[in-house]
Amino acid sequence: IATAALVFRTSKRWELKMSTFAHTRRLLEIRRIGKTFTFDAAHYLPNHDGKCKHLHGHTYHVEVVFEGELCETGPQEGMILDFGKVTDAWRRMEGHYDHKLLNDLFANPTAEVIAESIWLHFAADNLFPKEVKLWETPTSWASYQNPS
């Protein structure tokens, strides 16, 4: 009987410790998902003093990252966000950028300005990325994170 009581007490402490650990772990967990897209566009930087002041083009790579908690019920159970919703939002905005002269959209179309614009398009679709990263070349990127 004494052994059973000891096991019971130990078991309860273990359950409490595991419960506290799970709660603490959940508070510390950061879950993110990401999607990448591409588009082709031309631009020039009118105020630049280097070669980018001349008309040129890029195949831009967009990396969009979302952060959040897992949905606990419904069709998105176990997900932060359905990848399909991200893709649908991209398809609605892609024509705004793809095969365009970006100077027709922005006075000074730097990667930083374009990344923020893409973030704003997602936000207009009620999707709020943690970060939008825009790769202009394989080694050069700019990102935008909204502070809120």
Side-chain angles (χ1 to χ4, degrees):
I1 295 175
T3 304
L6 180 61
V7 170
F8 179 73
R9 280 193 203 137
T10 304
S11 175
K12 283 293 187 189
R13 269 193 226 133
W14 182 80
E15 287 176 24
L16 179 60
K17 282 184 179 179
M18 288 306 292
S19 174
T20 302
F21 172 74
H23 176 71
T24 302
R25 188 174 144 228
R26 190 176 1 226
L27 292 175
L28 297 174
E29 286 178 342
I30 297 174
R31 297 185 187 267
R32 292 184 179 132
I33 64 163
K35 286 281 292 175
T36 58
F37 305 98
T38 62
F39 68 94
D40 297 300
H43 74 149
Y44 59 92
L45 303 179
N47 304 319
H48 196 266
D49 57 1
K51 63 182 180 180
C52 292
K53 69 181 172 186
H54 303 291
L55 181 63
H56 63 284
H58 298 284
T59 296
Y60 289 93
H61 293 263
V62 178
E63 180 180 326
V64 58
V65 177
F66 293 87
E67 183 177 285
E69 296 181 13
L70 298 179
C71 294
E72 295 185 10
T73 60
Q76 293 186 88
E77 182 177 344
M79 300 178 193
I80 293 170
L81 178 64
D82 188 331
F83 288 120
K85 288 186 177 187
V86 179
T87 300
D88 291 344
W90 172 255
R91 286 183 182 147
R92 285 188 284 277
M93 77 176 84
E94 181 180 21
H96 188 74
Y97 304 99
D98 192 38
H99 285 83
K100 302 289 186 199
L101 175 59
L102 297 176
N103 295 77
D104 291 344
L105 306 173
F106 309 102
N108 191 29
T110 63
E112 295 88 341
V113 168
I114 300 163
E116 180 181 5
S117 174
I118 292 169
W119 190 96
L120 291 169
H121 271 96
F122 275 106
D125 224 334
N126 285 323
L127 297 175
F128 300 93
K130 172 72 176 169
E131 179 180 30
V132 170
K133 187 180 280 189
L134 180 71
W135 294 83
E136 199 171 74
T137 71
T139 61
S140 303
W141 56 265
S143 75
Y144 180 80
Q145 294 181 356
N146 188 286
S148 55

